[in-house]
Amino acid sequence: MTVLALYMPMVADTGGNAGSQSATVIVRALALNQLKLNDWLRVVWKELRISVFIGLGLAAASCAKVLLLSHNVSLPSGVTLKLLALAIALALFLQVLTATLIGAILPLLAKKSHVDPAVVASPAITTIVDISGMLIYFYCTTTILGLS
């Protein structure tokens, strides 16, 4: 389904942005000594709660985008536009959650390993989030749409 390729960058880019933002907040807090490594569970819980709200909002927006912009796309038998929009929205939601958690945890792991979190954060997060994002996207779309 060619239409799936149109929404892949949206999922990947959103994940990269969410992960980078989360990492930036954590790196800044570490640099200013506002955060200790022992606080990792509290930090991860806070980032998770925030990512749920952001993910839900972005999932709703992406669902509307798919419904509005892809209404005359040719879909295989048994696949509806609403199902396609749901699959993409779910993938985006899960991508925001995982990217935010990765963005929060990676700088903490770097600090614990005595590596500068600011140096590790951006390239590692981008790579990990891009890979996980595509896996999430393809899993959600193939499972929900019944593609094989």
Side-chain angles (χ1 to χ4, degrees), residues 87-146:
I88 293 170
L90 178 62
L92 186 68
F93 174 75
L94 293 174
Q95 172 68 336
V96 169
L97 256 62
T98 58
T100 302
L101 291 177
I102 291 167
I105 291 170
L106 207 56
L108 294 171
L109 289 175
K111 180 78 171 177
K112 182 154 181 76
S113 302
H114 306 289
V115 177
D116 184 2
V119 173
V120 172
S122 187
I125 288 171
T126 301
T127 303
I128 294 168
V129 167
D130 283 350
I131 292 168
S132 66
M134 289 302 97
L135 291 172
I136 291 167
Y137 184 73
F138 289 125
Y139 179 78
C140 287
T141 54
T142 56
T143 302
I144 291 174
L145 301 177

